[in-house]
Amino acid sequence: MAKKRSHPEQNRVIENRRARHEYAIAETLEVGIQLAGTEVKSVRAGEVSLGEGFITATEAPCALDLHQVNIGEYAPAGPRQHKLTRVRRLLAHKKEIVRLARAAEKKGATIVPLKMYFNNGYAKLLIGLGMGKGSVDKRDSIREREMQRDIDRAMSKKIRF
């Protein structure tokens, strides 16, 4: 029996590094995303910008919607293209949507996209409930990251002997 080959574009993960810098992520949730045909091809090619994106959660018509995420055009599709920044529906259980909607109502809380990837052929989006960081918190994060980088450099030099 032949083994299935993993395609490099299927293992691609598109990350939103800006969200981790701007927000303190309290909890995360993996949700599905409803995409059109040309959008799927563009996501597989890595033509996605999550940096400006945000998510709205509503209780009454129980829904999660993804706003301001730019999925680039798929050139071989010709004139039949999708809209680049349309509102996309996210797929999750009703209890999870209600919980996120109630948590996002708090002051300073927002739901942001963190990663987009494929899992068993399905497009998935890792979303996080974030609380806005102040400038002091951002400086602390940068300082910790630089200290960790210096420690890693020192350890790698020590191992080379």
Side-chain angles (χ1 to χ4, degrees):
M1 179 180 252
K3 292 183 181 179
K4 289 186 177 179
R5 295 180 186 170
S6 66
H7 299 288
E9 59 268 356
Q10 297 231 355
N11 298 332
R12 179 172 294 178
V13 176
I14 296 116
E15 291 193 50
N16 184 2
R17 292 176 24 193
R18 181 178 172 197
R20 298 263 184 206
H21 179 72
E22 296 284 331
Y23 301 100
I25 306 298
E27 60 181 277
T28 61
L29 176 68
E30 182 185 68
V31 297
I33 182 169
Q34 198 172 17
L35 297 173
T38 55
E39 290 176 329
V40 175
K41 296 283 192 174
S42 293
V43 170
R44 286 190 193 277
E47 299 291 325
V48 180
S49 173
L50 296 175
E52 305 82 26
F54 65 95
I55 296 162
T56 57
T58 55
E59 281 187 68
C62 198
L64 277 175
D65 293 321
L66 180 65
H67 300 271
Q68 297 295 320
V69 170
N70 187 358
I71 297 180
E73 289 184 350
Y74 181 63
R80 295 182 178 247
Q81 293 290 335
H82 58 275
K83 292 182 182 176
L84 299 182
T85 56
R86 71 178 181 89
V87 177
R88 294 168 180 91
R89 177 63 48 103
L90 298 179
L91 310 171
H93 291 286
K94 185 177 180 179
K95 289 180 184 178
E96 294 169 340
I97 295 172
V98 170
R99 183 174 48 83
L100 281 173
R102 290 182 181 156
E105 289 174 356
K106 296 178 185 173
K107 185 176 180 184
T110 186
I111 307 169
V112 291
L114 301 174
K115 291 182 185 179
M116 185 181 280
Y117 52 91
F118 280 89
N119 188 3
N120 294 330
Y122 294 102
K124 298 291 182 176
L125 187 69
L126 185 69
I127 63 175
L129 180 65
M131 299 295 286
K133 284 185 182 179
S135 61
V136 174
D137 295 332
K138 291 178 189 176
R139 285 194 299 257
D140 289 341
S141 299
I142 293 169
R143 188 177 305 118
E144 288 175 12
R145 185 175 63 225
E146 287 177 357
M147 286 185 348
Q148 185 62 40
R149 192 176 296 151
D150 291 340
I151 291 169
D152 291 342
R153 282 187 195 137
M155 293 300 288
S156 67
K157 288 178 183 177
K158 185 178 180 181
I159 294 173
R160 289 183 186 169
F161 290 113

